[in-house]
Amino acid sequence: MNKIIPKLHKINENSTPLCVQINLTNRCVNRCNSCRKYLWQPLDIDYRLLKKIVNELIEMKVETIIFSGGEVLLYRRFLDILKYIKENSNIETSMITSGLSDATINIMEIAKNVNRIYISLDSIDSEIYRKIRGRGDIEIVKSTTILFKKYNVNTKVWITKQRLNEKYIDDVKRWCDDNNIEYNIFPVHTYKDLMIEDDIKVLSKYCMYSYGFCIIDASLEMYSCCKLPHDNDLFEERRQDLCLGNLKDKSFKEIWFSDGALKIKKIIHDARQPECVSCDRGHSVNEYYSYYIENKDKKVFL
C-alpha cells in the first residue's frame, strides 16, 4: 500500500496500469473449499504469446507483473519468463503460489529471478489445512516458504480467513513471527457460508484498480479487476459484460486504450459492482484514493 499511495496522482482513465497480473495456467494442485478453478478448462498460456504480451508491457513501462494461476509452479516455462523479464527490463515480478513445489522445481533459481513471493498458508495444522485446501502437505508448504526466505527473496505469507480457520489464525501468525516472515490476513471472498460477517467492509466511493490494475487469465481475457472474472468461482459466473477484450484478437495496448475498455473502466471506477462487497486487497488504498479524488483540487494537493 505504501508504494501505491505516492502514485495516486498518476492514475487516471488514460494511464498505463501500474500492475498487471497474468494467470499463466488454470491447472492447480489444490482443491480449495473457497475455489472452483480446478473445474475450469486446464489451459496454459502459449509461451510465444506470453513473451509477446510481456514485451508489450515492457514497452508500456508497466511497473509490476504478478504471476499466478491456478498454480504458477505448474507452468513449464515459468523460470524462463522470469529470467527473460529480469534480463530485458526493470519490471518487478511477483508470484502467488500454494508453495506445494516438487523435486522438479528449482527454488533457488526462481528466488534469484523474482522480486516478491506470496505463499498461501491458511493453517499450520495439517488437518485444518487439508479441510481448506483439499490436497497437499503442510510440511512441504512450510519448508518451501522457509527456503524462499533463506534465499533472500521478499517472501510473504497470505492467510485467507474463513470459518474453518478463524480460531487457528494466531498459530499461523506465531509460526511466521518465529521464522521472521511477514504476513497479511485477507477475508475469504467467495461462498457466503465460509465468510465471517465482521470482515465485510464499507466500500469506498471510487476504485483506483480499474485504472491502475489489469488481470489476464489463461484464456487471454482481460479485466481491470480480479473480482470480475470470478477467479475462484465457477467459470460461468465471470462478468463477461465487463471484460475489456481478448488478447487472441488484439494487442494489450489496443484493448487497454480502446473506447470500449475506457467505458468499462469508468463504470468500475465510479460505480460499485456486486463483486466489490467482498474486495479485500483494495480497501485501504481506495479509502486514500477516494479522499484524493474528492480533494485533489484543494491547495494541499497542489
Side-chain angles (χ1 to χ4, degrees):
M1 184 176 76
N2 291 335
K3 292 180 67 177
I4 296 176
I5 290 173
K7 299 172 183 175
L8 292 182
H9 67 285
K10 297 181 180 180
I11 299 171
N12 57 64
E13 63 271 22
N14 295 310
S15 60
T16 294
L18 296 174
C19 175
V20 174
Q21 178 174 322
I22 304 176
N23 292 345
L24 296 173
T25 179
N26 287 340
R27 294 179 295 126
C28 192
V29 292
N30 289 123
R31 297 293 182 267
C32 299
N33 67 342
S34 61
C35 181
R36 298 296 179 269
K37 199 156 195 177
Y38 59 86
L39 297 175
W40 291 24
Q41 188 177 354
L43 299 175
D44 286 14
I45 296 179
D46 177 78
Y47 185 72
R48 289 172 297 179
L49 184 52
L50 176 62
K51 279 185 69 176
K52 181 180 176 182
I53 295 168
V54 164
N55 283 332
E56 196 171 5
L57 300 182
I58 293 171
E59 181 185 338
M60 292 173 68
K61 295 183 169 32
V62 167
E63 296 185 15
T64 302
I65 297 176
I66 302 172
F67 289 109
S68 186
E71 172 51 60
V72 68
L73 294 176
L74 294 178
Y75 189 75
R76 187 173 62 85
R77 302 197 65 179
F78 179 50
L79 182 56
D80 292 337
I81 199 63
L82 289 178
K83 288 181 176 179
Y84 181 80
I85 293 170
K86 186 173 183 179
E87 291 168 2
N88 293 279
S89 77
N90 295 317
I91 290 179
E92 291 194 348
T93 54
S94 303
M95 59 180 282
I96 303 170
T97 176
S98 69
L100 287 168
S101 63
D102 58 37
T104 65
I105 302 297
N106 191 328
I107 289 177
M108 183 171 67
E109 284 300 307
I110 290 175
K112 285 180 183 177
N113 290 281
V114 73
N115 297 100
R116 287 179 296 276
I117 296 173
Y118 303 109
I119 298 181
S120 299
L121 181 56
D122 302 323
S123 176
I124 57 170
D125 179 279
S126 59
E127 184 178 349
I128 300 298
Y129 179 85
R130 290 295 290 269
K131 284 182 180 179
I132 293 172
R133 292 277 159 177
R135 291 180 180 176
D137 185 341
I138 185 58
E139 296 304 321
I140 293 176
V141 180
K142 287 160 64 178
S143 63
T144 300
T145 305
I146 290 170
L147 265 179
F148 275 127
K149 179 71 176 178
K150 175 185 174 183
Y151 291 130
N152 296 316
V153 65
N154 186 340
T155 304
K156 184 173 285 188
V157 160
W158 278 1
I159 308 166
T160 302
K161 184 179 179 182
Q162 58 161 283
R163 293 196 180 279
L164 282 179
N165 70 348
E166 62 177 318
K167 296 179 181 178
Y168 302 91
I169 298 291
D170 286 344
D171 295 336
V172 185
K173 290 163 61 177
R174 276 191 294 271
W175 182 86
C176 290
D177 290 337
D178 290 345
N179 290 281
N180 196 28
I181 295 169
E182 294 183 48
Y183 59 84
N184 285 123
I185 303 173
F186 302 105
V188 67
H189 63 263
T190 50
Y191 305 109
K192 288 185 178 180
D193 59 316
L194 300 177
M195 293 180 183
I196 300 167
E197 290 299 320
D198 292 344
D199 288 329
I200 297 175
K201 298 179 174 68
V202 177
L203 296 172
S204 303
K205 186 172 182 179
Y206 299 107
C207 180
M208 58 79 61
Y209 283 91
S210 63
Y211 296 150
F213 175 81
C214 180
I215 184 168
I216 302 168
D217 72 13
S219 68
L220 301 177
E221 288 186 341
M222 285 173 51
Y223 290 84
S224 60
C225 167
C226 61
K227 304 297 180 187
L228 300 177
H230 285 251
D231 208 28
N232 300 117
D233 208 336
L234 296 173
F235 183 83
E236 307 84 64
E237 299 295 324
R238 58 210 286 108
R239 289 291 299 277
Q240 290 289 154
D241 58 318
L242 297 176
C243 177
L244 303 180
N246 194 301
L247 288 162
K248 293 176 184 175
D249 307 317
K250 295 181 180 179
S251 70
F252 184 95
K253 192 172 184 178
E254 286 177 308
I255 294 172
W256 185 256
F257 293 112
S258 68
D259 290 342
L262 290 173
K263 182 179 179 180
I264 289 170
K265 286 186 285 182
K266 182 163 179 54
I267 289 171
I268 299 164
H269 179 272
D270 293 348
R272 301 284 68 83
Q273 303 298 312
E275 290 82 3
C276 299
V277 174
S278 61
C279 181
D280 45 70
R281 66 182 294 177
H283 179 74
S284 298
V285 172
N286 278 331
E287 284 188 327
Y288 281 95
Y289 179 69
S290 295
Y291 180 81
Y292 166 73
I293 291 295
E294 293 177 332
N295 295 275
K296 65 180 179 178
D297 294 326
K298 294 182 181 179
K299 192 172 182 179
V300 67
F301 286 106
L302 298 178

Coordinates of all heavy atoms in Angstrom, one line a residue, residues 162-198:
Q162 N -11.3 -17.6 7.1 CA -12.7 -18.1 6.9 C -13.1 -18.9 8.1 O -12.4 -19.0 9.1 CB -12.7 -19.0 5.6 CG -11.7 -20.2 5.7 CD -12.1 -21.3 4.8 OE1 -13.0 -22.1 5.0 NE2 -11.3 -21.4 3.7
R163 N -14.3 -19.4 8.0 CA -14.9 -20.1 9.2 C -14.1 -21.3 9.7 O -14.1 -21.6 10.9 CB -16.4 -20.5 9.0 CG -17.3 -19.3 8.7 CD -18.8 -19.7 8.9 NE -19.6 -18.5 8.6 CZ -19.9 -17.6 9.6 NH1 -19.4 -17.8 10.8 NH2 -20.7 -16.6 9.3
L164 N -13.5 -22.0 8.8 CA -12.7 -23.2 9.2 C -11.4 -22.9 9.9 O -10.9 -23.8 10.7 CB -12.5 -24.1 8.0 CG -13.6 -24.9 7.5 CD1 -13.1 -25.7 6.3 CD2 -14.1 -25.9 8.5
N165 N -10.9 -21.7 9.7 CA -9.6 -21.5 10.3 C -9.5 -20.2 11.2 O -8.5 -19.9 11.7 CB -8.5 -21.3 9.3 CG -8.6 -20.0 8.4 OD1 -9.6 -19.3 8.5 ND2 -7.6 -19.7 7.7
E166 N -10.7 -19.6 11.5 CA -10.7 -18.3 12.2 C -10.1 -18.5 13.6 O -9.5 -17.6 14.2 CB -12.1 -17.7 12.3 CG -13.1 -18.6 13.0 CD -14.5 -17.8 13.1 OE1 -14.5 -16.6 13.4 OE2 -15.5 -18.5 12.8
K167 N -10.2 -19.7 14.2 CA -9.7 -19.9 15.6 C -8.2 -20.4 15.5 O -7.6 -20.5 16.6 CB -10.5 -21.0 16.3 CG -12.0 -20.7 16.5 CD -12.7 -21.8 17.2 CE -14.2 -21.4 17.4 NZ -15.0 -22.5 18.0
Y168 N -7.7 -20.5 14.3 CA -6.3 -21.0 14.2 C -5.3 -20.0 13.6 O -4.2 -20.3 13.3 CB -6.3 -22.3 13.4 CG -7.1 -23.4 14.0 CD1 -8.5 -23.5 13.6 CD2 -6.6 -24.3 14.9 CE1 -9.3 -24.5 14.1 CE2 -7.4 -25.3 15.5 CZ -8.7 -25.4 15.1 OH -9.5 -26.4 15.6
I169 N -5.9 -18.8 13.3 CA -5.1 -17.8 12.6 C -3.8 -17.4 13.5 O -2.7 -17.2 13.0 CB -5.9 -16.5 12.4 CG1 -7.1 -16.8 11.4 CG2 -5.0 -15.4 11.9 CD1 -6.6 -17.1 10.0
D170 N -4.0 -17.3 14.8 CA -2.9 -16.9 15.7 C -1.7 -17.9 15.6 O -0.6 -17.5 15.7 CB -3.3 -16.8 17.1 CG -4.2 -15.5 17.4 OD1 -4.1 -14.6 16.5 OD2 -4.9 -15.5 18.4
D171 N -2.0 -19.2 15.3 CA -1.0 -20.2 15.2 C -0.1 -19.9 14.0 O 1.1 -20.0 14.0 CB -1.6 -21.6 15.1 CG -2.3 -22.0 16.3 OD1 -2.0 -21.5 17.4 OD2 -3.2 -22.9 16.2
V172 N -0.8 -19.5 12.9 CA 0.0 -19.2 11.6 C 0.8 -17.9 11.9 O 2.0 -17.8 11.5 CB -1.0 -18.9 10.5 CG1 -0.2 -18.7 9.2 CG2 -1.9 -20.1 10.3
K173 N 0.2 -16.9 12.6 CA 1.0 -15.7 12.8 C 2.2 -16.0 13.7 O 3.3 -15.4 13.4 CB 0.0 -14.7 13.6 CG -1.1 -14.1 12.7 CD -2.2 -13.5 13.4 CE -1.8 -12.3 14.3 NZ -2.9 -11.7 15.0
R174 N 2.0 -16.8 14.7 CA 3.2 -17.2 15.6 C 4.3 -17.9 14.8 O 5.5 -17.6 14.9 CB 2.8 -18.0 16.7 CG 2.2 -17.3 17.9 CD 2.1 -18.1 19.1 NE 1.0 -19.1 19.0 CZ -0.3 -18.9 19.2 NH1 -0.7 -17.8 19.7 NH2 -1.1 -19.9 19.1
W175 N 3.9 -18.8 13.9 CA 4.8 -19.5 13.0 C 5.6 -18.5 12.1 O 6.8 -18.6 12.0 CB 4.1 -20.6 12.2 CG 5.1 -21.4 11.3 CD1 5.8 -22.5 11.7 CD2 5.5 -21.1 10.0 NE1 6.6 -22.9 10.7 CE2 6.4 -22.1 9.6 CE3 5.1 -20.1 9.1 CZ2 7.0 -22.1 8.4 CZ3 5.7 -20.1 7.8 CH2 6.7 -21.1 7.5
C176 N 4.9 -17.6 11.6 CA 5.5 -16.6 10.7 C 6.5 -15.7 11.5 O 7.6 -15.4 11.1 CB 4.5 -15.7 10.1 SG 3.5 -16.5 8.8
D177 N 6.1 -15.3 12.7 CA 6.9 -14.5 13.6 C 8.2 -15.2 14.0 O 9.3 -14.7 14.0 CB 6.2 -14.0 14.8 CG 5.1 -13.0 14.6 OD1 5.2 -12.3 13.5 OD2 4.1 -12.9 15.4
D178 N 8.0 -16.5 14.3 CA 9.2 -17.3 14.7 C 10.2 -17.5 13.6 O 11.4 -17.7 13.8 CB 8.7 -18.7 15.2 CG 7.9 -18.7 16.5 OD1 8.0 -17.7 17.2 OD2 7.2 -19.7 16.8
N179 N 9.7 -17.4 12.3 CA 10.6 -17.6 11.2 C 10.9 -16.3 10.5 O 11.4 -16.3 9.4 CB 10.0 -18.6 10.2 CG 10.0 -20.0 10.7 OD1 11.0 -20.7 10.7 ND2 8.8 -20.5 11.3
N180 N 10.5 -15.2 11.1 CA 10.8 -13.8 10.6 C 10.2 -13.6 9.2 O 10.9 -13.1 8.3 CB 12.3 -13.6 10.6 CG 12.6 -12.1 10.4 OD1 11.8 -11.2 10.8 ND2 13.8 -11.8 9.8
I181 N 9.0 -14.1 9.0 CA 8.3 -14.0 7.7 C 7.1 -13.1 7.9 O 6.3 -13.2 8.8 CB 7.8 -15.4 7.2 CG1 9.1 -16.3 6.9 CG2 6.9 -15.3 6.0 CD1 8.7 -17.7 6.7
E182 N 6.9 -12.1 7.0 CA 5.8 -11.2 7.0 C 4.5 -11.9 6.6 O 4.6 -12.9 5.9 CB 6.0 -10.0 6.1 CG 7.2 -9.1 6.6 CD 7.3 -7.9 5.6 OE1 6.3 -7.3 5.3 OE2 8.4 -7.6 5.2
Y183 N 3.4 -11.4 7.0 CA 2.1 -12.0 6.6 C 1.0 -10.9 6.4 O 1.1 -9.8 7.0 CB 1.7 -13.0 7.6 CG 1.5 -12.5 9.0 CD1 0.3 -11.9 9.4 CD2 2.5 -12.6 10.0 CE1 0.1 -11.4 10.7 CE2 2.4 -12.2 11.2 CZ 1.2 -11.6 11.6 OH 1.0 -11.1 12.9
N184 N 0.0 -11.2 5.6 CA -1.2 -10.5 5.5 C -2.4 -11.4 5.7 O -2.3 -12.6 5.4 CB -1.3 -9.8 4.1 CG -0.4 -8.6 4.0 OD1 0.4 -8.6 3.0 ND2 -0.5 -7.6 4.8
I185 N -3.4 -10.9 6.3 CA -4.7 -11.6 6.5 C -5.8 -11.0 5.7 O -6.0 -9.8 5.8 CB -5.1 -11.6 8.0 CG1 -3.9 -12.2 8.8 CG2 -6.3 -12.4 8.2 CD1 -4.2 -12.1 10.3
F186 N -6.4 -11.8 4.8 CA -7.5 -11.4 4.0 C -8.7 -12.2 4.3 O -8.6 -13.4 4.5 CB -7.1 -11.6 2.5 CG -5.9 -10.8 2.1 CD1 -4.7 -11.5 1.8 CD2 -5.9 -9.5 1.9 CE1 -3.6 -10.9 1.4 CE2 -4.8 -8.8 1.5 CZ -3.6 -9.5 1.3
P187 N -9.9 -11.6 4.3 CA -11.1 -12.4 4.4 C -11.4 -13.2 3.1 O -11.1 -12.7 2.0 CB -12.2 -11.3 4.6 CG -11.7 -10.1 4.0 CD -10.2 -10.2 4.1
V188 N -12.0 -14.4 3.3 CA -12.4 -15.1 2.1 C -13.4 -14.3 1.3 O -14.3 -13.7 1.9 CB -12.9 -16.5 2.5 CG1 -14.2 -16.4 3.3 CG2 -13.0 -17.5 1.3
H189 N -13.3 -14.4 0.0 CA -14.3 -13.5 -0.8 C -15.2 -14.4 -1.7 O -15.9 -13.8 -2.5 CB -13.5 -12.5 -1.7 CG -12.6 -13.2 -2.7 ND1 -11.2 -13.3 -2.5 CD2 -12.8 -13.6 -3.9 CE1 -10.7 -13.9 -3.5 NE2 -11.7 -14.1 -4.4
T190 N -15.2 -15.7 -1.5 CA -16.2 -16.5 -2.2 C -17.0 -17.3 -1.3 O -16.4 -17.7 -0.2 CB -15.5 -17.4 -3.2 OG1 -14.4 -18.1 -2.5 CG2 -14.8 -16.7 -4.4
Y191 N -18.2 -17.6 -1.6 CA -19.1 -18.5 -0.9 C -19.4 -18.0 0.5 O -18.6 -18.0 1.5 CB -18.5 -19.9 -0.8 CG -18.2 -20.4 -2.2 CD1 -16.9 -20.6 -2.7 CD2 -19.2 -20.7 -3.1 CE1 -16.6 -21.0 -4.0 CE2 -18.9 -21.1 -4.4 CZ -17.6 -21.2 -4.8 OH -17.3 -21.6 -6.1
K192 N -20.6 -17.5 0.7 CA -21.1 -16.9 1.9 C -21.0 -17.8 3.1 O -20.8 -17.3 4.2 CB -22.5 -16.4 1.7 CG -22.6 -15.2 0.7 CD -24.0 -14.6 0.7 CE -24.1 -13.4 -0.2 NZ -25.4 -12.8 -0.3
D193 N -21.2 -19.1 2.9 CA -21.1 -20.0 4.1 C -19.7 -20.0 4.7 O -19.6 -20.5 5.8 CB -21.6 -21.4 3.7 CG -20.7 -22.0 2.6 OD1 -20.4 -21.3 1.6 OD2 -20.3 -23.2 2.8
L194 N -18.7 -19.6 4.0 CA -17.3 -19.5 4.5 C -17.0 -18.2 5.1 O -16.0 -18.0 5.9 CB -16.3 -19.8 3.4 CG -16.4 -21.2 2.8 CD1 -15.4 -21.4 1.7 CD2 -16.3 -22.3 3.8
M195 N -17.8 -17.1 4.8 CA -17.4 -15.8 5.2 C -17.7 -15.5 6.6 O -18.6 -16.1 7.2 CB -18.2 -14.8 4.3 CG -17.8 -14.7 2.9 SD -18.8 -13.5 1.9 CE -18.1 -13.8 0.3
I196 N -17.0 -14.6 7.2 CA -17.2 -14.1 8.6 C -17.8 -12.7 8.5 O -17.2 -11.8 7.9 CB -15.9 -14.2 9.4 CG1 -15.4 -15.6 9.4 CG2 -16.1 -13.6 10.8 CD1 -13.9 -15.7 9.9
E197 N -18.9 -12.5 9.1 CA -19.7 -11.3 8.9 C -18.8 -10.0 9.2 O -18.9 -9.0 8.6 CB -21.0 -11.3 9.7 CG -22.0 -12.2 9.1 CD -22.5 -11.8 7.7 OE1 -22.6 -10.6 7.4 OE2 -22.6 -12.8 6.9
D198 N -18.0 -10.1 10.3 CA -17.3 -9.0 10.8 C -16.2 -8.5 9.8 O -15.7 -7.4 9.9 CB -16.5 -9.3 12.1 CG -17.5 -9.5 13.2 OD1 -18.7 -9.1 13.1 OD2 -17.1 -10.1 14.3

